[in-house]
Amino acid sequence: MKIPVWIKKIWKAIQSLFNRIPAELKTAIHTGVVVTENIKTFVESPAADILTTLIPGETDDRIKAALRAALPTLLIQLKLADNCSGANTPQETTACAIKTLQSLTGDLKSAFLHNLSVLIAQVAADGKLTWQDGAYIMEWYYQHRFKATS
């Protein structure tokens, strides 16, 4: 069996799983991808509140509050804020961590973004999404739904 055919079968199985996921988890997965894409494309913004800039406006208020609280912590735990000792607010920590992320390249940057996306989706899903499920589903969603509609 050729590897591309094998991979297509895996993606098809993941798509089948995705179609059976409850709407709440689909929304969490989408939120994880969108926030991560906002981080990936973030360039010095004149916005006063970086967290408001990164979290999509249509996101449920409960999820927004959870993400505002969790995002700086996630960035610290991923060691993206190790050089941010001067940061005094969640916004400063987030901005500093994004600068660190912007300095990464290639597979290392992709790995951090993928991990961040899964962690954000877990926050948005209020703990109803496991790391293992999130890792597979996020990649499939990003490749086959998000990029396809962007």
Side-chain angles (χ1 to χ4, degrees):
M1 182 181 289
K2 293 182 180 179
I3 290 179
V5 172
W6 181 73
I7 291 173
K8 286 180 184 179
K9 286 183 180 181
I10 290 174
W11 284 131
K12 195 168 193 168
I14 293 172
Q15 179 177 11
S16 174
L17 289 172
F18 185 80
N19 290 336
R20 293 191 309 246
I21 292 175
E24 180 181 320
L25 290 181
K26 285 181 183 178
T27 300
I29 290 163
H30 176 77
T31 300
V33 170
V34 171
V35 172
T36 303
E37 281 297 301
N38 288 346
I39 289 170
K40 188 166 91 175
T41 59
F42 181 78
V43 179
E44 297 268 336
S45 173
D49 184 353
I50 189 171
L51 293 171
T52 299
T53 302
L54 299 179
I55 300 169
E58 73 275 1
T59 304
D60 178 87
D61 289 341
R62 178 188 56 79
I63 294 172
K64 277 185 194 177
L67 289 173
R68 288 180 66 82
L71 189 56
T73 303
L74 294 176
L75 294 168
I76 289 168
Q77 289 175 344
L78 286 172
K79 304 294 185 196
L80 290 170
D82 280 355
N83 297 328
C84 305
S85 60
N88 296 318
T89 67
Q91 291 81 4
E92 290 173 352
T93 300
T94 303
C96 180
I98 288 172
K99 286 181 184 174
T100 301
L101 188 58
Q102 288 172 332
S103 71
L104 301 176
T105 58
D107 289 342
L108 187 58
K109 185 174 189 175
S110 295
F112 271 101
L113 290 169
H114 179 73
N115 289 337
L116 185 57
S117 189
V118 174
L119 292 169
I120 291 168
Q122 285 183 306
V123 170
D126 198 24
K128 296 175 186 160
L129 182 67
T130 67
W131 173 262
Q132 185 176 7
D133 292 342
Y136 291 116
I137 293 168
M138 294 298 290
E139 182 63 24
W140 179 86
Y141 180 82
Y142 179 73
Q143 295 295 335
H144 293 91
R145 294 277 172 98
F146 187 80
K147 281 176 72 175
T149 59
S150 294

